[in-house]
Amino acid sequence: MLVVDDEHDVADTQALKLGERYETTVAYSGQAALDAAGPEFDAVLLDRRMPDVHGDDVLSRLRERGYDGIIIMLTAVDADLNILEMPFDDYLQKPVDQSTLLSALDQHLDRPDEDDRLDEYFRISSKLSVLEREKSTSQLEASDEYTRLKERARELEWVLHAENDDFEELKETYQSISRSYSNN
């Protein structure tokens, strides 16, 4: 597991939270993440706002280089419609407690049989969930990309429900993870 954050205390705290279950390495900048990331890491927890190389650029470069591991954006940056086209697997807003972080990682890493459609469904659902909390209905309805992804999620849900007896349980587990920070 590669934990990337330019704030040393934050990165070290996240690594500590994960250390009981996962072997972790910390990178304190976008460039350090690009230098370190490789197939030996099953997952990358990636901050978005970093001064040297922005997390969005790190994400793009990792995918361009062929990194196909799990990438979870772990950030204090409010989600905007631009996340719809970003190739991450999940989006969690800081602060994230240990339970939420471990649940999200377990969900992505511990599925015994890989199903690309299920992975796609969860990637899309993460984006939709965060945006539906951050944006107004009119802002979302004005986005063709949002509308397209919402329809794709419905299609995938229908197929996955028909083919997987445990789809509802997987979906409920996924939805139980809070992806947006709330002051409530």
Side-chain angles (χ1 to χ4, degrees):
M1 173 93 38
L2 180 62
V3 177
V4 184
D5 199 305
D6 63 304
E7 294 181 43
H8 291 230
D9 291 347
V10 172
D12 293 341
T13 299
Q14 296 304 335
L16 186 63
K17 288 179 183 179
L18 298 169
E20 294 175 15
R21 195 174 302 173
Y22 298 102
E23 184 177 325
T24 61
T25 299
V26 177
Y28 299 113
S29 70
Q31 188 58 55
L34 290 169
D35 293 343
E40 67 275 13
F41 294 106
D42 292 333
V44 176
L45 295 180
L46 181 60
D47 186 31
R48 283 188 77 184
R49 190 177 295 146
M50 293 182 287
D52 68 329
V53 180
H54 197 278
D56 296 0
D57 295 329
V58 173
L59 171 65
S60 295
R61 290 184 198 174
L62 288 176
R63 293 301 192 204
E64 286 168 9
R65 289 186 342 199
Y67 179 77
D68 64 353
I70 302 300
I71 298 178
I72 298 177
M73 302 302 282
L74 184 64
T75 182
V77 175
D78 288 338
D80 204 348
L81 292 170
N82 68 337
I83 72 167
L84 291 171
E85 297 178 10
M86 294 172 66
F88 57 77
D89 296 285
D90 214 333
Y91 194 99
L92 302 175
Q93 289 184 296
K94 293 178 188 173
V96 178
D97 63 44
Q98 181 177 15
S99 173
T100 298
L101 187 56
L102 289 171
S103 293
L105 284 166
D106 290 347
Q107 186 172 56
H108 288 287
L109 295 172
D110 290 345
R111 280 202 303 271
D113 53 340
E114 290 190 30
D115 183 336
D116 291 340
R117 292 172 305 174
L118 189 60
D119 292 340
E120 179 186 4
Y121 175 77
F122 286 141
R123 278 193 306 272
I124 291 171
S125 294
S126 173
K127 293 173 184 181
L128 297 176
S129 172
V130 170
L131 286 173
E132 288 166 355
R133 286 189 177 120
E134 298 286 325
K135 301 297 174 192
S136 70
T137 302
S138 61
Q139 288 173 309
L140 295 173
E141 289 174 353
S143 168
D144 291 338
E145 181 69 8
Y146 172 82
T147 302
R148 185 185 68 74
L149 282 180
K150 187 81 170 172
E151 181 57 33
R152 178 65 180 152
R154 281 190 205 109
E155 291 170 9
L156 287 167
E157 187 169 349
W158 186 82
V159 169
L160 291 166
H161 192 272
E163 293 179 358
N164 296 299
D165 293 336
D166 61 347
F167 176 71
E168 284 303 315
E169 183 180 332
L170 290 170
K171 181 179 164 187
E172 286 176 25
T173 300
Y174 185 82
Q175 291 174 338
S176 71
I177 298 170
S178 175
R179 287 171 168 77
S180 294
Y181 176 67
S182 172
N183 288 329
N184 298 342

